Amino acid sequence: EWTIDGANISIQYGRPYLKGRTVGDVVPSGTIWRAGADEATTLKTDKPLKFGNLSVPAGTYTLFTLPGDKQWQLVISKETGQWGTAYKEGQDLGRVPMEVGKAKTAAEQVTWSVDDTPKGASLRLEWGTTSVSAPFTVAGQS
């Protein structure tokens, strides 16, 4: 749970292990991934958020990712409460690009974080040496 510019944000997710595998072994490029284990990864916010051009009203959403070789996408779904592998594209609120980088330290388990930044915040997922992030702002904040 995090408080960013007055918004209370939480992410609930399962934490799979790599167990000697690579991220690419578990999450093939071009395949929608539940971004965690077991039940769907859930984002809750009590204030509207803005990821690039995508407006996310206050509420509860399911997060998926679409990994790529050079870029990932964050997929924000309006459907909630489903098992993690139950993805319906027609329920997408929208998709935003995620910056791909290297984690400072390797993470054996999936780790979601929200990092406060001077221009808002960044939603970050790390697993192995992979780090992907999507900047956002709290609507009405600069």
Side-chain angles (χ1 to χ4, degrees), residues 1-128:
E1 296 181 354
W2 302 267
T3 301
I4 303 292
D5 296 333
N8 296 305
I9 300 167
S10 68
I11 302 174
Q12 184 175 355
Y13 61 103
R15 299 188 70 200
Y17 287 88
L18 279 176
K19 297 181 184 175
R21 304 170 293 183
T22 68
V23 172
D25 292 339
V26 182
V27 185
S29 181
T31 303
I32 287 284
W33 177 48
R34 62 181 144 187
D38 304 321
E39 293 180 22
T41 297
T42 303
L43 167 73
K44 290 182 183 178
T45 177
D46 66 351
K47 300 247 172 131
L49 307 177
K50 187 96 168 166
F51 287 85
N53 293 326
L54 179 63
S55 295
V56 179
T60 302
Y61 302 90
T62 296
L63 299 180
F64 294 92
T65 59
L66 180 59
D69 293 331
K70 296 187 180 185
Q71 185 180 62
W72 287 36
Q73 288 187 349
L74 175 65
V75 180
I76 302 174
S77 174
K78 298 176 282 187
E79 183 178 26
T80 60
Q82 74 276 26
W83 189 249
T85 56
Y87 169 71
K88 296 176 190 157
E89 187 172 356
Q91 291 295 312
D92 285 4
L93 177 68
R95 298 178 179 201
V96 295
M98 298 185 85
E99 300 169 12
V100 178
K102 285 221 173 258
K104 291 178 185 173
T105 57
E108 175 64 18
Q109 286 185 282
V110 165
T111 304
W112 279 99
S113 303
V114 174
D115 303 317
D116 200 357
T117 67
K119 295 182 179 182
S122 184
L123 180 67
R124 182 171 40 92
L125 179 144
E126 291 187 337
W127 201 19

